[in-house]
Amino acid sequence: MSYWKNFWNKAAQSDSALMQVQRNADDRTLTAIESHICKLLNIKKTDEVLDVCCGNGLISTRIAKHCKTVVGVDFSSGLLHSAKEQDLASNIQFIEEDAIDLSNSIHQKFDKIILYYSFQYFDFKQGMQVVSEMKKLLKPGGQMLIGDVPNKKKFWTYYDTLPKRFLYFKQWLFEQPKMGKFWSEKEMRMLAEENQLKGLFLQQDKKLPHAHYRFDFLMEDKQK
């Protein structure tokens, strides 16, 4: 995890909020992502929401308009510094903590939990720990969204040109995988089953920028 922490702390030095979180999107695209998340989780004005791997708060600040409170958590002090420098609404709080140790620093429970765009930076074992920690913080009947996950079946759809493939093998050789892990539907369902959660694999809306190679995974308590 030290590789990724160093990576994001370095990225946080950019003057561009989008480049800090390695996003290439305009306001219209971000609004579409905001709407997509709110619709999938049916976020309500009474909901308390946790945004895991929140980075510089790019998503957190948008979701805050639709719910009661948002707690954003990330392990990058640099990105959190950028998040806290914004003109934040009174219902947003940011906490520095690793996603595999959420319950060390967060003790309340949430109606909805989001982990968007960042699940690729965990291997399978770490992913299992993250889902377990997220479940500990979920209210009965609550829902969790792991969103914008690179699809293992679409690996070569993403690496679709010779320059991209050369870059991938170069990164693989030096153990610097910028894209992280591409997940399979089977692996995601295993994470849900091991944590006694119902899992729903979702193809992304084609209007979203990465729908051609990413998916969403929605989870909820089996007792619901």
Side-chain angles (χ1 to χ4, degrees):
M1 295 300 288
S2 59
Y3 169 79
W4 290 117
K5 182 177 283 192
N6 292 334
F7 178 90
W8 292 114
N9 280 331
K10 184 177 180 180
Q13 297 171 18
S14 171
D15 292 331
S16 165
L18 288 169
M19 290 300 98
Q20 287 175 0
V21 289
Q22 302 293 291
R23 280 281 183 174
N24 182 16
D26 55 20
D27 188 69
R28 183 178 179 181
T29 301
L30 292 173
T31 299
I33 292 171
E34 170 190 339
S35 176
H36 175 70
I37 292 171
C38 288
K39 183 178 180 180
L40 282 183
L41 284 173
N42 188 26
I43 292 178
K44 303 172 183 176
K45 285 291 186 181
T46 54
D47 282 342
E48 295 176 303
V49 178
L50 177 65
D51 184 11
V52 181
C53 301
C54 68
N56 62 3
L58 196 68
I59 298 296
S60 312
T61 52
R62 289 174 171 268
I63 298 301
K65 298 180 292 184
H66 304 278
C67 62
K68 182 180 179 181
T69 59
V70 173
V71 174
V73 59
D74 202 281
F75 71 171
S76 168
S77 57
L79 289 175
L80 288 178
H81 178 74
S82 294
K84 293 172 183 178
E85 280 192 324
Q86 301 177 63
D87 183 17
L88 297 174
S90 59
N91 65 336
I92 304 177
Q93 176 188 4
F94 290 107
I95 295 173
E96 184 176 343
E97 184 58 89
D98 197 307
I100 64 174
D101 294 311
L102 294 173
S103 58
N104 282 351
S105 301
I106 304 172
H107 306 295
Q108 72 179 96
K109 295 203 172 185
F110 299 87
D111 301 286
K112 309 287 167 61
I113 301 179
I114 304 163
L115 197 167
Y116 200 82
Y117 189 66
S118 299
F119 204 61
Q120 66 206 64
Y121 303 117
F122 301 104
D123 61 26
F124 185 83
K125 181 179 178 181
Q126 292 163 344
M128 186 70 76
Q129 290 176 285
V130 170
V131 172
S132 176
E133 286 292 289
M134 289 167 66
K135 185 189 175 185
K136 290 177 186 177
L137 304 179
L138 190 68
K139 291 181 182 180
Q143 292 179 300
M144 311 192 316
L145 171 65
I146 298 180
D148 220 31
V149 184
N151 190 339
K152 190 173 182 178
K153 282 187 176 181
K154 304 291 181 68
F155 186 86
W156 296 116
T157 300
Y158 176 76
Y159 289 107
D160 59 347
T161 65
L162 285 176
K164 276 189 175 183
R165 291 177 183 182
F166 174 79
L167 180 61
Y168 163 70
F169 286 113
K170 180 181 177 182
Q171 291 173 345
W172 175 80
L173 183 63
F174 291 99
E175 298 183 344
Q176 296 178 337
K178 185 178 178 182
M179 281 298 296
K181 176 177 170 59
F182 281 63
W183 288 80
S184 69
E185 179 178 353
K186 180 180 179 181
E187 288 174 316
M188 298 302 293
R189 292 193 182 281
M190 287 174 65
L191 298 185
E193 284 296 320
E194 286 294 319
N195 285 284
Q196 289 77 52
L197 295 163
K198 289 190 288 186
L200 181 62
F201 180 90
L202 300 167
Q203 298 290 347
Q204 285 196 339
D205 189 314
K206 292 182 179 179
K207 294 179 183 179
L208 294 176
H210 305 121
H212 60 293
Y213 76 99
R214 290 177 182 258
F215 64 85
D216 298 315
F217 199 76
L218 194 63
M219 291 182 280
E220 60 184 35
D221 198 307
K222 283 188 174 182
Q223 296 179 1
K224 183 179 177 182

